[in-house]
Structures are given as structure tokens and as C-alpha cells.
Amino acid sequence: MRKYADKYFGTDPWRITEDGFNPAYGAVAESIFSLGNEHMGLRGYFDEGYSGEGLQGCYVNGVYERSQARPSGYKGIPETMEFMVNSVDWVHTGITANGRTLDLAKSRFSRFSRVLDMRTGELRREFIWHADDETDIKLSFTRFLSMRRLELGASRIRWDVLKGTAEINVCPGLVFTREDIWDIIINDKQGDTLTVKGVTKTTKQPLYASAWFDSGKKDELTRIVRVSKIDGGSPRELKGFSYDELLEENRRWWAKQWELSDIEIGGGAEDQQGIRYCIFQMHQTLHSGKGRVVIGAKGLTGEVYNGNTFWDTEIYCLPFYLFTNPEAALGVLKFRYETLGEAKKRAGEMDLEGAFYPIATIGGSECCTLWQHANMQLQASTAVAYALWHHARVTGDGAFLREKGITMLEEICRMLASRGGFDPVTGEYGYYGVMGPDEFQLMVNHNLYTNYMAKKTFEFTLETLEAMGIPETAEHRDWRHKAELTRAGFDPETLLFEQHDGYFGLPHVDLKSIPVEDFPLYHNWSYDRIYRNDLIKQPDVLMFMFMYAGEFGQEQLAANFDYYEPRCIHESSLSPSVHSVLAARLGRIEQAYGFFKFASRLDLDNYNRNTNEGLHTTSIAGSWMNIVYGFGGLRSDGGTLSLSPVLPECWESLRFKLIYRGSVLRVEITRGGTTARLESGNPVKIKLYGDDYECLAD
């Protein structure tokens, strides 16, 4: 990959640190220091405001607005989109000293530092403000979001005059940042409390925020805030909460989470920090699954991709939650069930039966107005089916599958059965005019990922129906027939799968011939130029070989990896982690580690030069898979868990835990060997390097 690290933040196993403030990294730091608790998110912007480049981002999960796109005049092309909205800036604080306003884009300051503590979720910032030639003031700002009480947040500001005298004014407030989006209904100040209410102009979604301001201590202001989609009651109730007690509650919460989901790397300080940061952000994105679960491509850290969730949520994010927090994983599936009606409506718009899940959504409707993605990509629907299969296999809980999942599966199968067609010469079944995960190939026939995932969806649905004792119907027989005749596109001589019909005949472009300044290609090549060659954006054939690893031999994997990897430019942040996993399975540890370094520190080291836009949430989840599925050698597509660990040369050990069917397994990999022990629950049978074992308690 022709990308390199842009190192700025300090290395620490449990903290993200910034020593000194560089405005060129201001927006990047806002993303990196983002806080979230699943219900709401807050970018790491400055409480006191900042007139330089940045984004004052404060978001509430599931609160969105709607806009109208230019009508296309063609049936089936979306004409509206929904997007996550900036909501209440609840850390808003105007600060002046001796009549001068604090603004780090204009004010003189020194000894700036910022620290995110991943053991508490608290963000701390401090510096000395040289308010004028005679006055120095030390300021410290702290904030966090409660991980147990999802509607609560807290912040504290302290100031100390180090030199001279100062008349300091600290004016906190609650401010809706986008008046073009919100109608302000309530703005009520009573003593030391403040309540605001806004309603989105188009979707008519209400949002309440209330705060209690404690200025009882000299040179200190503390606020406790509630942000809610429903009326949260009297702000006076917030007086019952203490900043320090809520922070201690957070510390205990995080200690419990780290005990279960931490990955410990022996050797490699940057690697340790990188993976812990990824795990930290995954818990901030989702951990309870109690509300409507929408995992946006940027989580709650930025507005690129409009807060929409994509097909990669089920493929990349779900495994992390399945093995560390099954309750949260179920929330992902519930969201898809709750929006099944919208998926059925979308299928009808496209002259299809059943349900066609949107490629991008926040409320259930299709929010992508690019027809080549919204109409030709079937992988959101097959990803939902895969998620149901994976959830039942890992958790051993078939209740959701029987009660709700089967309905989704049947509707997806109806769509797949009406969307495909038969080759008039060979009689094979498949999909025409589609776009697979490799979005550099447009309007292709028999994309192998699409074909393969559809076949698997048919088969899993029929297996589930049979297990439930549902009598076979003519419709079921049609699905079975189409699954049996699905084109595989496999050459037994070369062992290659052709990504789609005609791919092998495309003009070849040598990646090394592309100037580094041309990346990313989307920004520097004309749109149609991207589609005229064999360049690959992200894994496609290799993707389904990763997802169903047990069905492909090492020779097959090696042949396809050697063919497709040199053609992949990794334009997507999802790409490196899968390549790393497959390289590790092939025993190519150095290559696997190179991909891993990129994946685990994609945002921390700003590899794509776009961390300023928000974090790459699904890539962050891919980093967890990178370690557990790659170096941990996990396979979860068989009847039992399988582990075949390997260690990069620079690591001495690797430790992680997995929740599997209600039991907790502790895996430890060292140079001396691998052990898998039962920490709690019932004994679990696993395969270790191909041999059968039973994990028992110590």
C-alpha cells in the first residue's frame, strides 16, 4: 500500500496524548478525542469555541433530518436522503478575562496538553492562557459521558490566575448549533438550571437538554447535563448527581469492560495503544443495544456519510459484539427487523418481491442517491442474512432467528429470487447488472460475491425452515433450485474465482505505475476512468473467502490472494484488515503485520489523511477482527470454534477473551505455545491447529 503514517499523538498503552497544539491537526484531534456512549457523541472540540478550522459536532443516535434530492425522472432511484444532525452543544462556554475572549485560534497560550484516558472515558485538557502582557491564567477542562446513564454527560472547568490580576467571566450554556435544522421550542433558565427543546424542521423529532450548573466552588464550574429524545423531567433532579461519583461509576464500568474485551499484546507499544483505542471506540459506539442501533460509518464522531449505516456494519462490526457483548449484537439485528417494512417498500420501488435492504440508511429508507450503489448493490440484504446466520452460530441462541429472523430471511430470499436470472446458454443462475463490494466495477454480471452470498442465503433460510418444521412449498423448491444452479465462476486448473464475467479480460494497470499523489483515485481520476480497468477498491472474491473460510483450501486461498491482492489499491479503509487476516492464514506473517499496522492505527496516524472527517468505525471493528481472526487464527464459520494462532516477530505474546455460547474463553498465545481455558460457563469444544480439544476451567 502506498500510504504512510502521519504520527502526531503520543504513545501510551492506556491514553491518547497531545503535547502542544498544532492547528494543522486541530480537526484530526477533534475526531480522535471524540467521546460517545451509544446514545450521544461529542467531538473533541473546545468548550470555549474556536474560530479556526474544525467541526463543533454533537450528535444523538437516531436523530436525523431529511432532504430532497433533484428528481431523476426514473422509477426506483431514491429522491430523498436522511442525515444525522448536529444537535445540542452542551459544553458551550464563553470565557473572557479582562475583557478579552479566549479563542485558541487568536489567543496567546503555552503548555497545552490533552489526554484521553481509556480507563475512565474522561477527556482532559489544560494550558496557560496569556490573556495580556501582565496576566497568565491556567485553565483545565474535563468532560465525559456516562456509560451507564446514557442520557447524562458532565464537564468541569477550573481556572487559576498565575500572574497578575484578572476579572474572569465564565458563561456556560446549551446551544442548538444548527438553527437551519432546529425549531427552538423551549429556552428556559431558572437559577442554576437551564432547559432547551428543539424539534427538527422536517422529521419533527424532538430533543430535550437540561443542565445544572454548580459554581459553588471558587474558580470552578461543573455541569451535569441530560440529553433526551423525550422530556427528561425537571433539571433540578440533576443536582442529585456528582461529577466525581459519575466518573468513578465510569471507571468501574470500563474496568469491567476491559476485563472481558481487552487484547493484551506483549511487545509493540504502538500496537497495544492502537488496538485498545479501537476497542474503546467500539464500546463508545454501542454497548447496551437498548435504543435503536444505528452504527454509522463514522459512528457519532463526524458527519461524512451522513451518519448512515452500511452493509459493512453486519460484516465488520457485528463479530466484535458477538464475541464480547452478545446483547449489543442483538441490537444490530433488531434494527434490521424494525426497518423490514422500509426494505419491503424499497423492493417494490425496484420492481422486486420481498425486501431489499438499503445500502445506506439511518431511519430504514434508502439514503444513497447514487443509483449505481442504491440499485445495484445487493450486499446489504445478504449481509443481514449473514448476520442472522453468524449470530445463531456464535451465541447458540436461536430464539430471535425463529421468532423474527426467519421473516427477514424469507423476504430477502423473495427479493433474491426475483432479482436474478438464468444464463440462456449454461442454465446457471446469478445476478445481472450488479455492483459487488469492489465498487470499481460497475453494472457487471455474475459478481461472484453477490452470487455466493445469495446462494448461502437461500441455503440457510431453507435449513432454518426445515429445522422449524415448516413444510416445503413450491416457493422453497424454487429457492433450492436457484441455489443449486448458482454460477460459481471457478477454474479448477488455476484455482481462481473470476470476480465477475469478463473480469479476466479487463485491461491491467500496474499499481506501481500510479503516482502516489493520485491517491485517493476518487479525488484525482475522472469517475469513468476508475471503471475501465482491473483495479480493485477493496476485497471482493477474497471477502467471501474470508467469511466462509472453512470452505476453501489453502491452495485456493493462496492462488486467489496472489492474483487479487496486487490489483487492490485499498481505497476503502475496510480493505487492509481482511487482507491481513488472509495473509496470516497463509503464513505470510510479515505481510499480515504490515496490513495490520495500517488497519489498527488508521485514524491515530491519519493514514488516509481524512481523520478530520471522523473515525472509520467499521475499519476500527476490522482491526479487532484483524487480531482475533488473523493472528489469533479464529474461524467461526464451522460447527465449532477453530484457532490456529501465529505471532508477528515483534510480539512475544497475545491474550484475548471470547464469549461463545454463553461461556467465556481465555486465549493466551506465546512463543512457547497456545492455551485456551474456560473462564466461566459450560465446557466448550474447540479446534486448535486442527485438533479437537475441550476447554475446561482451571
Side-chain angles (χ1 to χ4, degrees):
M1 292 186 305
R2 307 187 73 179
K3 298 180 180 181
Y4 58 89
D6 183 16
K7 295 189 180 298
Y8 175 67
F9 301 100
T11 302
D12 184 281
W14 286 106
R15 304 184 307 161
I16 309 300
T17 62
E18 179 186 24
D19 294 319
F21 178 66
N22 184 341
Y25 291 89
V28 171
E30 284 179 354
S31 295
I32 292 298
F33 291 120
S34 291
L35 300 179
N37 68 354
E38 160 184 327
H39 168 66
M40 56 182 165
L42 191 69
R43 283 173 60 86
Y45 62 89
F46 299 155
D47 311 48
E48 70 276 12
Y50 181 68
S51 61
E53 182 181 352
L55 172 63
Q56 270 186 304
C58 36
Y59 313 103
V60 176
N61 202 340
V63 176
Y64 58 89
E65 259 290 41
R66 185 179 297 118
S67 65
Q68 191 78 25
R70 185 172 62 184
S72 68
Y74 294 97
K75 181 184 179 184
I77 297 179
E79 296 181 352
T80 61
M81 60 179 292
E82 294 169 342
F83 55 95
M84 180 176 71
V85 295
N86 222 318
S87 59
V88 178
D89 175 11
W90 59 265
V91 296
H92 176 86
T93 312
I95 301 178
T96 63
N98 296 342
R100 300 193 178 190
T101 301
L102 176 60
D103 177 357
L104 295 191
K106 302 173 181 178
S107 302
R108 290 192 304 118
F109 62 96
S110 61
R111 298 186 185 180
F112 179 99
S113 70
R114 187 158 34 173
V115 176
L116 174 59
D117 188 341
M118 293 185 285
R119 288 167 294 195
T120 63
E122 185 184 45
L123 177 63
R124 302 188 292 269
R125 175 171 61 104
E126 66 178 35
F127 55 88
I128 296 175
W129 176 25
H130 308 294
D132 53 46
D133 292 340
E134 290 78 34
T135 310
D136 290 345
I137 305 168
K138 181 179 180 181
L139 290 131
S140 66
F141 301 79
T142 60
R143 65 172 75 155
F144 66 91
L145 294 173
S146 173
M147 301 303 285
R148 285 193 58 209
R149 309 170 196 270
L150 302 185
E151 295 181 343
L152 295 189
S155 72
R156 176 178 285 164
I157 304 173
R158 288 172 170 156
W159 55 94
D160 181 20
V161 179
L162 303 180
K163 186 179 79 171
T165 59
E167 182 181 337
I168 300 173
N169 291 309
V170 179
C171 302
L174 301 175
V175 179
F176 279 96
T177 56
R178 293 284 302 274
E179 293 186 3
D180 58 323
I181 289 175
W182 295 93
D183 287 323
I184 310 304
I185 307 300
I186 297 174
N187 194 335
D188 181 34
K189 184 180 187 302
Q190 294 188 14
D192 54 5
T193 68
L194 178 61
T195 300
V196 297
K197 175 188 176 182
V199 177
T200 52
K201 291 180 181 291
T202 303
T203 57
K204 303 303 179 184
Q205 293 178 286
L207 190 67
Y208 299 80
S210 55
W212 166 57
F213 302 99
D214 180 5
S215 56
K217 293 184 180 180
K218 184 177 182 294
D219 302 336
E220 177 179 300
L221 173 71
T222 298
R223 83 183 82 192
I224 308 295
V225 178
R226 176 187 287 119
V227 180
S228 177
K229 299 177 190 178
I230 60 175
D231 190 345
S234 171
R236 294 284 171 192
E237 297 172 4
L238 297 174
K239 288 189 174 185
F241 295 103
S242 154
Y243 182 102
D244 294 324
E245 289 175 359
L246 286 172
L247 183 61
E248 178 57 30
E249 187 176 79
N250 255 25
R251 186 189 302 276
R252 293 194 300 269
W253 187 93
W254 277 108
K256 183 178 179 180
Q257 294 300 314
W258 287 118
E259 173 63 26
L260 184 61
S261 60
D262 190 20
I263 290 178
E264 297 178 80
I265 296 174
E270 287 189 352
D271 298 336
Q272 181 66 83
Q273 181 190 41
I275 191 58
R276 280 197 177 128
Y277 182 72
C278 292
I279 294 170
F280 176 79
Q281 290 296 346
M282 290 301 292
H283 285 307
Q284 288 205 132
T285 301
L286 173 66
H287 62 267
S288 77
K290 292 179 180 177
R292 172 167 275 203
V293 174
V294 182
I295 301 179
K298 297 294 183 185
L300 296 169
T301 70
E303 298 170 25
V304 172
Y305 299 114
N306 299 316
N308 287 176
T309 190
F310 293 76
W311 70 282
D312 44 30
T313 292
E314 281 80 11
I315 304 301
Y316 282 78
C317 296
L318 192 66
F320 171 82
Y321 298 116
L322 283 175
F323 285 106
T324 66
N325 191 338
E327 183 180 351
L330 188 59
V332 176
L333 302 182
K334 287 179 178 178
F335 171 75
R336 294 300 191 179
Y337 181 76
E338 291 167 359
T339 57
L340 178 60
E342 288 286 349
K344 293 173 69 174
K345 178 182 176 183
R346 178 66 181 146
E349 294 170 350
M350 298 173 64
D351 297 331
L352 299 172
E353 298 176 9
F356 191 102
Y357 277 96
I359 200 67
T361 190
I362 191 169
S365 64
E366 179 61 78
C367 295
C368 178
T369 56
L370 298 173
W371 69 271
Q372 65 270 38
H373 296 277
N375 292 47
M376 291 194 295
Q377 292 192 283
L378 280 62
Q379 52 262 37
S381 299
T382 56
V384 172
Y386 178 82
L388 290 165
W389 170 85
H390 206 189
H391 176 267
R393 188 164 293 257
V394 173
T395 65
D397 177 10
F400 183 83
L401 177 62
R402 293 187 301 271
E403 295 167 9
K404 296 185 171 109
I406 189 60
T407 303
M408 290 191 279
L409 288 172
E410 288 180 303
E411 296 295 352
I412 293 169
C413 283
R414 290 183 180 116
M415 181 275 292
L416 293 172
S418 61
R419 178 63 170 81
F422 289 95
D423 186 310
V425 176
T426 67
E428 294 172 303
Y429 186 76
Y431 297 87
Y432 296 81
V434 297
M435 175 189 281
D438 172 21
E439 295 173 339
F440 282 1
Q441 304 297 325
L442 173 70
M443 190 68 84
V444 302
N445 299 330
H446 290 292
N447 168 259
L448 256 294
Y449 179 92
T450 305
N451 277 15
Y452 190 86
M453 295 300 291
K455 174 183 173 69
K456 285 295 185 183
T457 300
F458 284 138
E459 292 173 345
F460 176 54
T461 303
L462 292 168
E463 290 170 7
T464 303
L465 288 167
E466 184 178 357
M468 292 174 63
I470 306 297
E472 188 174 68
T473 66
E475 182 179 49
H476 300 159
R477 288 190 288 274
D478 177 60
W479 297 346
R480 191 180 308 280
H481 177 66
K482 287 172 176 174
E484 291 171 349
L485 293 180
T486 297
R487 179 177 296 184
F490 178 68
D491 184 340
E493 292 187 7
T494 63
L495 302 181
L496 292 178
F497 291 95
E498 186 172 23
Q499 183 171 297
H500 59 77
D501 282 3
Y503 178 83
F504 288 158
L506 290 172
H508 177 61
V509 174
D510 184 356
L511 286 179
K512 296 178 182 178
S513 69
I514 303 175
V516 68
E517 56 268 18
D518 279 13
F519 294 100
L521 297 189
Y522 274 132
H523 294 172
N524 296 290
W525 284 20
S526 64
Y527 197 55
D528 64 293
R529 181 184 178 188
I530 290 173
Y531 296 111
R532 307 199 294 250
N533 51 66
D534 67 348
L535 290 176
I536 295 172
K537 176 183 177 180
Q538 60 189 10
D540 197 297
V541 167
L542 296 181
M543 194 69 217
F544 69 74
M545 297 187 81
F546 160 72
M547 295 164 67
Y548 290 97
E551 301 196 8
F552 307 100
Q554 288 290 90
E555 287 187 61
Q556 277 181 302
L557 177 58
N560 284 276
F561 188 90
D562 290 341
Y563 183 83
Y564 286 108
E565 190 280 325
R567 290 165 169 77
C568 185
I569 70 168
H570 306 284
E571 189 93 332
S572 167
S573 62
L574 301 175
S575 187
S577 58
V578 170
H579 281 83
S580 178
V581 171
L582 297 181
R585 287 180 180 171
L586 292 170
R588 304 173 186 182
I589 311 306
E590 184 177 351
Q591 186 179 23
Y593 183 70
F595 281 123
F596 164 76
K597 289 289 286 188
F598 173 89
S600 65
R601 298 188 64 88
L602 173 69
D603 290 311
L604 282 175
D605 292 340
N606 199 17
Y607 272 93
N608 280 359
R609 304 304 188 265
N610 62 359
T611 300
N612 60 298
E613 297 175 347
L615 304 180
H616 296 77
T617 304
T618 43
S619 175
I620 282 172
S623 300
W624 180 90
M625 290 200 304
N626 199 157
I627 287 186
V628 176
Y629 280 85
F631 302 122
L634 174 69
R635 293 186 182 182
S636 55
D637 60 300
T640 59
L641 283 187
S642 175
L643 294 165
S644 297
V646 294
L647 282 178
E649 187 174 336
C650 58
W651 294 359
E652 292 301 319
S653 62
L654 175 63
R655 298 177 183 87
F656 57 86
K657 294 179 183 179
L658 301 171
I659 299 176
Y660 182 69
R661 300 189 177 181
S663 297
V664 178
L665 306 180
R666 184 172 72 253
V667 180
E668 182 173 357
I669 305 152
T670 66
R671 295 292 174 193
T674 298
T675 59
R677 293 185 173 89
L678 182 71
E679 188 162 285
S680 65
N682 297 320
V684 174
K685 292 181 179 180
I686 68 166
K687 287 185 177 294
L688 186 59
Y689 297 109
D691 295 328
D692 293 321
Y693 292 91
E694 186 172 39
C695 289
L696 303 172
D698 291 338

